[in-house]
Amino acid sequence: EAGVAQSPRYKIIEKRQSVAFWCNPISGHATLYWYQQILGQGPKLLIQFQNNGVVDDSQLPKDRFSAERLKGVDSTLKIQPAKLEDSAVYLCASSLDTGVGETQYFGPGTRLLVL
Amino acid sequence: GENVEQHPSTLSVQEGDSAVIKCTYSDSASNYFPWYKQELGKGPQLIIDIRSNVGEKKDQRIAVTLNKTAKHFSLHITETQPEDSAVYFCAAMGSWGKLQFGAGTQVVVTP
């Protein structure tokens, strides 16, 4: 079974530029998550989708971050404009469904460096 | 919201020895506690999990214990091997279905 796919793997941009990340979850997984992992810290949830609807985006900085999951499969996360503090690894994860005990499977992440 | 604290931040062990990582959580409603292993350049990978109706769970060299009264849970790795070297994260999930991660433990196993 193929895992969670993410691209690009690395991205270097200057502050105030925009950037987009793509995620393809495990086939059949209804729930998709985007996490931000700053160096030396654990992942922090940015947004959670159930199919193509948003379940939780309380930690998403909506003035600069946006995400969508059209058709309930692939998802994109965008940052515009980027700030220095956005330098982090952006992890996508998916699970079969939403609920306590649902195993979340992570992709390899996109490493973003904002200069 | 939930707050998860993890200790130690780094752990060096000799190959063959045991490693123990401890986590505490704040929300008594949390009832699912997974442990993830993250190798350099990769995403976190689930290695073991435990639910609140179980006090201990074991899978080969890895075991997890949960004390709901004290609100802490621990990961035990026995007979450590060099391939166990990685960053380990504990996490807690409450009824809202949101995972809160600890800050991670860098485990180094020296031959």
Side-chain angles (χ1 to χ4, degrees):
Chain A
E1 178 182 82
V4 176
Q6 291 189 248
S7 68
R9 294 296 311 277
Y10 306 92
K11 192 74 178 178
I12 300 174
I13 62 172
E14 295 187 348
K15 59 183 179 182
R16 291 188 290 274
Q17 285 187 325
S18 63
V19 64
F21 313 127
W22 173 83
C23 172
N24 182 236
I26 293 173
S27 178
H29 280 198
T31 309
L32 184 147
Y33 315 79
W34 282 102
Y35 287 86
Q36 180 192 59
Q37 186 176 24
I38 292 172
L39 189 65
Q41 298 181 19
K44 184 187 81 172
L45 181 69
L46 292 175
I47 188 167
Q48 177 181 342
F49 292 94
Q50 176 74 4
N51 296 308
N52 60 352
V54 175
V55 174
D56 183 353
D57 64 356
S58 58
Q59 298 296 305
L60 188 73
K62 298 180 187 64
D63 57 334
R64 298 183 300 106
F65 286 64
S66 64
E68 60 182 11
R69 191 185 184 197
L70 300 176
K71 301 181 182 178
V73 181
D74 294 4
S75 176
T76 56
L77 176 69
K78 296 179 182 177
I79 308 175
Q80 182 179 13
K83 292 185 175 182
L84 297 177
E85 58 261 35
D86 297 333
S87 294
V89 176
Y90 290 85
L91 295 162
C92 179
S94 70
S95 63
L96 204 56
D97 206 340
T98 294
V100 178
E102 286 287 346
T103 299
Q104 296 186 22
Y105 298 88
F106 285 82
T110 296
R111 281 148 188 79
L112 173 68
L113 179 60
V114 182
L115 301 175
Chain B
E2 176 66 277
N3 182 47
V4 177
E5 293 193 359
Q6 182 172 349
H7 300 280
S9 56
T10 58
L11 181 58
S12 291
V13 295
Q14 204 76 10
E15 182 178 359
D17 288 349
S18 296
V20 180
I21 303 170
K22 298 182 179 181
C23 290
T24 60
Y25 60 98
S26 60
D27 191 339
S28 56
S30 291
N31 51 17
Y32 174 63
F33 307 91
W35 286 87
Y36 284 84
K37 176 183 180 181
Q38 187 172 26
E39 296 175 320
L40 199 61
K42 297 184 179 180
Q45 180 183 16
L46 179 73
I47 55 172
I48 196 167
D49 58 15
I50 191 167
R51 286 163 172 75
S52 61
N53 58 346
V54 175
E56 183 173 356
K57 184 176 178 181
K58 190 173 182 180
D59 183 4
Q60 298 181 1
R61 296 186 296 109
I62 294 173
V64 59
T65 59
L66 171 65
N67 183 328
K68 284 223 74 180
T69 303
K71 290 190 281 188
H72 67 71
F73 54 114
S74 301
L75 178 72
H76 304 251
I77 307 173
T78 59
E79 300 171 24
T80 53
Q81 300 167 6
E83 51 264 38
D84 294 329
S85 296
V87 179
Y88 291 79
F89 292 96
C90 63
M93 181 187 285
S95 55
W96 61 94
K98 183 174 175 178
L99 267 182
Q100 184 70 39
F101 284 85
T105 297
Q106 173 76 60
V107 173
V108 177
V109 180
T110 53

